[in-house]
Amino acid sequence: MKKGLIGLALLAGGLVTSLPATAGTFTLGHTWLLEIGNVKGKIPFPICRNAKGFKIEAQRDLKLDRVKVRFRNGEEKTYNYYRDVKKDKDTGARLFGYERCIKHIEVSGNSEGTRAGVKVIGID
């Protein structure tokens, strides 16, 4: 009887662990892009945030140029976009390849109006 229960428990545990994991998202931060000038939206983190990637969501129409990400080890990576992002749309995910600790994000671009909110979304 005990062997049957142990076997059933192992089978059930194997089924649970074999289910595919879905990627979760969370907000890394918000910033603003202005209509004129080369003012970059900066999002510093006092404590680094772990993520496997990110995507940019526009809260108004904007022209996104690039996103620079600085990691805990001092390495910086620049992602070029050079495209328009419509209101309430996102850029799609940019993955790092593995989970990294982010210390700073800098968003460059211009808004279509006086200013546009930008939401940076992290990917687990």
Side-chain angles (χ1 to χ4, degrees), residues 25-33 41-51 53-59 62 67 69 102-107 116-123:
T25 60
F26 58 95
T27 301
L28 278 170
H30 295 273
T31 189
W32 295 95
L33 293 178
K42 298 178 182 182
I43 306 170
F45 302 110
I47 300 172
C48 67
R49 301 283 307 266
N50 289 325
F54 71 94
K55 61 184 176 179
I56 304 294
E57 184 179 292
Q59 295 172 336
L62 61 93
V67 175
V69 181
I102 303 169
K103 286 291 288 179
H104 186 86
I105 296 176
E106 194 173 273
V107 182
V118 175
K119 184 177 182 181
V120 182
I121 300 169
I123 299 171

Side-chain angles (χ1 to χ4, degrees), residues 45-117:
F45 302 110
I47 300 172
C48 67
R49 301 283 307 266
N50 289 325
K52 292 182 181 173
F54 71 94
K55 61 184 176 179
I56 304 294
E57 184 179 292
Q59 295 172 336
R60 275 194 177 166
D61 292 350
L62 61 93
K63 293 180 182 181
L64 183 63
D65 291 339
R66 70 185 65 85
V67 175
K68 187 187 293 186
V69 181
R70 187 179 316 129
F71 302 104
R72 179 176 55 192
N73 64 357
E75 181 184 344
E76 288 185 351
K77 197 163 191 175
T78 302
Y79 298 89
N80 294 315
Y81 287 93
Y82 300 111
R83 66 175 177 199
D84 293 337
V85 183
K86 298 294 179 189
K87 179 180 179 179
D88 297 327
K89 299 293 180 187
D90 65 58
T91 59
R94 294 285 181 113
L95 300 175
F96 304 136
Y98 55 93
E99 189 171 83
R100 309 253 348 231
C101 194
I102 303 169
K103 286 291 288 179
H104 186 86
I105 296 176
E106 194 173 273
V107 182
S108 300
N110 295 317
S111 70
E112 293 295 324
T114 56
R115 63 183 181 183

Side-chain angles (χ1 to χ4, degrees), residues 10-19:
L10 289 175
L11 178 63
L15 291 174
V16 170
T17 58
S18 66
L19 295 175

